[in-house]
Amino acid sequence: MARKGKVTVVGAGFYGSTTAQRLAEYDIVETVVLTDIIEGRPEGLALDMNQSRPIEGFETTVVGQTTGTDGSGYEAIAGSDVVVITAGLPRKPGMSRMDLIETNASIVRSVAESVARHAPDAVVIVVSNPLDEMTALAQIATGFPKHRVLGQAGLLDTARFTNSVAERLCVPVGSVTTLTLGSHGDTMVPVPSRCSVDGKPLGDLLPPTDVDELVERTRNGGAEIVALLKTGSAYYAPSAAAARMARAVMEDAGAVMPVCAWVDGEYGISGVYLGVEAEIGLVGVRRVVETDLTDSERAALEAAAEAVRAKQADVQHL
Ligand SMILES: NC(=O)c1ccc[n+]([C@@H]2O[C@H](COP(=O)([O-])OP(=O)(O)OC[C@H]3O[C@@H](n4cnc5c(N)ncnc54)[C@H](O)[C@@H]3O)[C@@H](O)[C@H]2O)c1
């Protein structure tokens, strides 16, 4: 099997290390680079992952690299086709994602500048929170074309919605289709009109109050896990989403998935990073794909755009 290319994951915490592991286990790229500012952590995790290769049967090599906040060590990411930025603090119980904005903005800005210097042709996938704002900041700090910087949120939120519907109706997750758009926060827009089970509209299977409950649980999906864990936030489903996005880029798949992408006229919305469906390939976002929405879903998407637009304007100064 031909393995090709290099993917870097910046940040070797829970999210980053599981993303690196998933990417390595796909066995489709030559090298996965894992970096962190904690001395020895990425090297130790990389060695551990490489030792799992004979058992799991993959040949992708994981390279660990400690980096400095001064940009030292970033030579290791040279030639990366994709860089996934997971560096930053996760939420604590009771915190909103927005409470992380100042601390994570300074981390994401310095990481993005180093990425631009050492991997100038990479597609950048941002996961650090608050997601929509950190994606906008990474684009500003790298100076990359907007289609080459995107964020991970919608694939995860959609998976959470799908899982809740499957659990509620006691059906396989594979029979459920759902969709969320909008922001990765309070103005997330679950789209019930695009939800179905074995092709039957969700609204025909559940009363509106039950659908509303599932929508609310999706919107609070991250907080529900933060409250249970007490320290740290979710990473199994989030890393699955980021790894899938990186894979779609590496395979030039043309897969359509919900991501945080630059919106330029679609849905009548312009000039903002927002959760929408997009076709993903080697260039990053090939195009934003518009879907039919009800009037209220469309209004919610417009409200989400205005909420994140204001915050994204603020991050330029952070
Ligand atoms: N977008 C999403 O859907 C989603 C979902 C879950 C978590 N997150 C976010 O992902 C981020 C990471 O979460 P986590 O659970 O891995 O947290 P974590 O605390 O386990 O890991 C974060 C890592 O980033 C490292 N780091 C900090 N500054 C760095 C720098 N300048 N360069 C390189 N590495 C640096 C830390 O040393 C740490 O190892 C958080 O901001 C969290 O809120 C996003």
Side-chain angles (χ1 to χ4, degrees):
M1 178 187 166
R3 282 165 215 87
K4 220 170 65 183
K6 178 168 171 178
V7 178
T8 289
V9 180
V10 178
F14 286 114
Y15 197 147
S17 56
T18 42
T19 301
Q21 180 197 6
R22 290 186 190 284
L23 285 164
E25 288 182 357
Y26 287 158
D27 205 17
I28 59 162
V29 297
E30 204 70 55
T31 312
V32 172
V33 179
L34 180 62
T35 76
D36 203 288
I37 51 169
I38 301 175
E39 172 79 42
R41 180 174 172 84
E43 290 84 349
L45 290 171
L47 180 57
D48 194 6
M49 285 181 213
N50 285 331
Q51 289 170 350
S52 76
R53 296 189 304 159
I55 305 168
E56 285 297 325
F58 63 93
E59 296 290 342
T60 294
T61 308
V62 186
V63 175
Q65 175 68 52
T66 301
T67 53
T69 45
D70 59 355
S72 57
Y74 269 88
E75 310 77 52
I77 80 161
S80 295
D81 302 287
V82 176
V83 177
V84 183
I85 300 180
T86 79
L89 302 189
R91 284 192 278 176
K92 296 197 173 86
M95 275 176 109
S96 85
R97 294 182 179 95
M98 206 50 81
D99 293 333
L100 301 167
I101 193 163
E102 293 208 3
T103 312
N104 284 355
S106 80
I107 293 172
V108 168
R109 182 181 281 283
S110 81
V111 168
E113 286 170 356
S114 295
V115 169
R117 208 164 301 128
H118 294 277
D121 299 320
V123 170
V124 173
I125 298 172
V126 179
V127 312
S128 312
N129 273 319
L131 188 275
D132 307 277
E133 290 71 18
M134 293 305 105
T135 305
L137 178 60
Q139 190 281 321
I140 293 165
T142 53
F144 287 0
K146 295 189 170 82
H147 64 84
R148 266 211 281 134
V149 181
L150 59 161
Q152 185 298 117
L155 199 52
L156 168 65
D157 296 328
T158 297
R160 286 176 170 158
F161 198 3
T162 295
N163 184 59
S164 291
V165 170
E167 280 183 356
R168 172 71 180 73
L169 292 171
C170 299
V171 295
V173 286
S175 66
V176 181
T177 303
T178 68
L179 180 65
T180 67
L181 302 174
S183 80
H184 189 49
D186 296 340
T187 49
M188 185 188 299
V189 183
V191 185
S193 72
R194 278 281 309 271
C195 300
S196 59
V197 179
D198 281 329
K200 291 190 203 77
L202 186 60
D204 292 357
L205 301 169
L206 286 172
T209 48
D210 288 27
V211 175
D212 288 349
E213 237 172 63
L214 293 170
V215 161
E216 207 41 37
R217 189 171 184 206
T218 302
R219 202 171 272 127
N220 295 323
E224 183 180 352
I225 292 176
V226 169
L228 287 166
L229 293 179
K230 315 231 172 23
T231 145
S233 59
Y235 53 96
Y236 285 110
S239 63
R244 276 288 150 179
M245 286 170 63
R247 182 175 186 156
V249 175
M250 294 307 292
E251 293 182 329
D252 198 20
V256 174
M257 46 181 78
V259 301
C260 176
W262 183 254
V263 176
D264 193 14
E266 295 84 2
Y267 299 104
I269 298 168
S270 285
V272 67
Y273 269 101
L274 188 65
V276 286
E277 284 185 293
E279 191 179 303
I280 307 301
L282 257 187
V283 298
V285 172
R286 286 188 191 165
R287 67 187 179 98
V288 169
V289 178
E290 280 190 70
T291 189
D292 288 338
L293 298 176
T294 64
D295 288 348
S296 66
E297 289 162 353
R298 203 178 177 96
L301 188 63
E302 285 164 5
E306 290 325 306
V308 294
R309 188 194 305 283
K311 282 283 167 200
Q312 286 176 16
D314 291 348
V315 294
Q316 303 197 34
H317 312 293
L318 293 176

